[in-house]
Amino acid sequence: MNVSVIGLGQMGTRLAQAFLAAGYQTVVWNRTRAKADALAAQGATAAATIAEAAAAPLVVVCLTSYGAVREVLDPVREELRGKTVVNLTSGTPETAREMSAWLSGHGAGYLDGAAMSGTQLVGRPEALFVLSGDAGAFAAHRAALASLGNVVHLGADPGLASVYDGALFGLAWGALAGFYHAVALVAAEGVAPTAFAQAAAGHMPFVTSLLTEHARQIEEGRYPDDDGTVNVHAAAMDHLVHASAAAGVRTDIPELFRGLLELAVIGGHGADGIASTAQALSKEGAA
Ligand SMILES: NC(=O)c1ccc[n+]([C@@H]2O[C@H](COP(=O)([O-])OP(=O)(O)OC[C@H]3O[C@@H](n4cnc5c(N)ncnc54)[C@H](OP(=O)(O)O)[C@@H]3O)[C@@H](O)[C@H]2O)c1
């Protein structure tokens, strides 16, 4: 079976290389031809026209924007009938649903998706890709898509992958923002970022272990205080705000966290476990 990759930027090039490494005949197309030629030197077939790329049963697209995807695929929309289009371009749930309606209307199977692990891990099992949309199309191309990494189908709603994309992006930034603040704090005391990173990495398995348990608590609406109450964490966060200010580093991050804990206290969760903070952040809590 052959696959095609349309868009050979940083991500698209890695996608094509992963398909090649897994032994798939890989047709590549890019607006700027030189990038396709570079991949042809690695075993890909450089498509002379976009129609040639649209002829593969599995067409993977990764461009800068949904507008660009529409622009590139519009001339070949009829050729895509009966094919599966996997769109790994970043967008919003709305643009994903619109793209799905448009391509489904032309008889193509559509999967919207997001690459969650940067470019360097693509092709390895730890590279997470989230997809959603046409379940039949996913089942038909599951093996080829597994060439890219850990490819997970989330459900039939084509907007869901984009929802996860944003949610996981925010999760990563939450962790990284805490890390950047921590690095600034310890650096003010003469600790090298690389030295601190070792302790940070050693702490993360504990943090990760909380996710499943706290998710269960959020679902059940019961917040045992096994990991400390909101009040206890609020007091500790006061210390972090104070220590940061005393060290001369910005307090934005711990103040943000303190604000969230205050919201939980206002919501009546002071004596509950910290997962109750999720209640204050939820749609119901915001209403
Ligand atoms: N790079 C990452 O680490 C990463 C990680 C996760 C997700 N993503 C997502 O993957 C997508 C692509 O990212 P990238 O890093 O590969 O970007 P990139 O290196 O800037 O490549 C952009 C690609 O889009 C093409 N393109 C842009 N406008 C076009 C148009 N109007 N018509 C035809 N082709 C057009 C470019 O063609 P030319 O070569 O001709 O300019 C190029 O192939 C983005 O949505 C990004 O958010 C990237």
Side-chain angles (χ1 to χ4, degrees):
M1 196 190 106
N2 63 340
V3 303
S4 72
V5 178
I6 293 175
L8 303 172
Q10 284 189 10
M11 180 55 74
T13 294
R14 297 291 297 187
L15 300 174
Q17 287 170 335
F19 284 125
L20 284 170
Y24 286 88
Q25 289 179 5
T26 307
V27 178
V28 293
W29 181 90
N30 195 61
R31 176 179 62 180
T32 306
R33 167 79 193 211
K35 292 176 187 168
D37 290 339
L39 275 159
Q42 298 169 41
T45 302
T49 63
I50 186 70
E52 217 177 291
L58 175 61
V59 178
V60 177
V61 191
C62 190
L63 302 176
T64 309
S65 68
Y66 275 63
V69 173
R70 183 79 181 241
E71 195 182 306
V72 167
L73 295 187
D74 191 52
V76 290
R77 59 187 186 277
E78 290 309 326
E79 282 90 330
L80 291 171
R81 185 171 297 278
K83 314 285 170 48
T84 291
V85 176
V86 176
N87 182 16
L88 295 174
T89 304
S90 302
T92 67
E94 289 75 24
T95 53
R97 289 174 186 132
E98 282 165 20
M99 188 64 71
S100 176
W102 178 63
L103 282 170
S104 304
H106 290 287
Y110 183 75
L111 289 159
D112 202 273
M116 298 311 311
S117 310
T119 57
Q120 296 305 310
L121 294 179
V122 172
R124 290 172 44 174
E126 58 269 41
L128 175 64
F129 288 81
V130 289
L131 296 184
S132 67
D134 189 330
F138 179 71
H141 297 289
R142 186 182 204 136
L145 291 167
S147 313
L148 303 179
N150 176 19
V151 182
V152 179
H153 184 254
L154 301 167
D157 174 1
L160 200 53
S162 181
V163 173
Y164 268 62
D165 184 18
L168 293 172
F169 180 69
L171 170 64
W173 256 100
L176 289 172
F179 177 66
Y180 300 149
H181 172 79
V183 164
L185 179 61
V186 298
E189 301 292 345
V191 178
T194 47
F196 178 72
Q198 285 197 355
H203 185 50
M204 290 314 284
F206 166 67
V207 178
T208 305
S209 77
L210 298 181
L211 301 184
T212 305
E213 170 58 18
H214 285 193
R216 194 179 56 75
Q217 293 177 13
I218 293 163
E219 278 183 15
E220 292 177 356
R222 289 189 330 102
Y223 308 105
D225 61 1
D226 306 348
D227 305 309
T229 64
V230 166
N231 284 334
V232 164
H233 278 252
M237 202 59 75
D238 277 341
H239 295 149
L240 181 56
V241 172
H242 176 83
S244 303
V249 305
R250 293 186 65 108
T251 56
D252 316 50
I253 300 298
E255 282 190 54
L256 169 67
F257 299 152
R258 183 165 68 179
L260 299 180
L261 289 160
E262 279 167 6
L263 278 177
V265 171
I266 291 166
H269 291 294
D272 290 337
I274 53 170
S276 61
T277 308
Q279 168 65 25
L281 290 171
S282 69
K283 192 173 178 179
E284 293 73 26

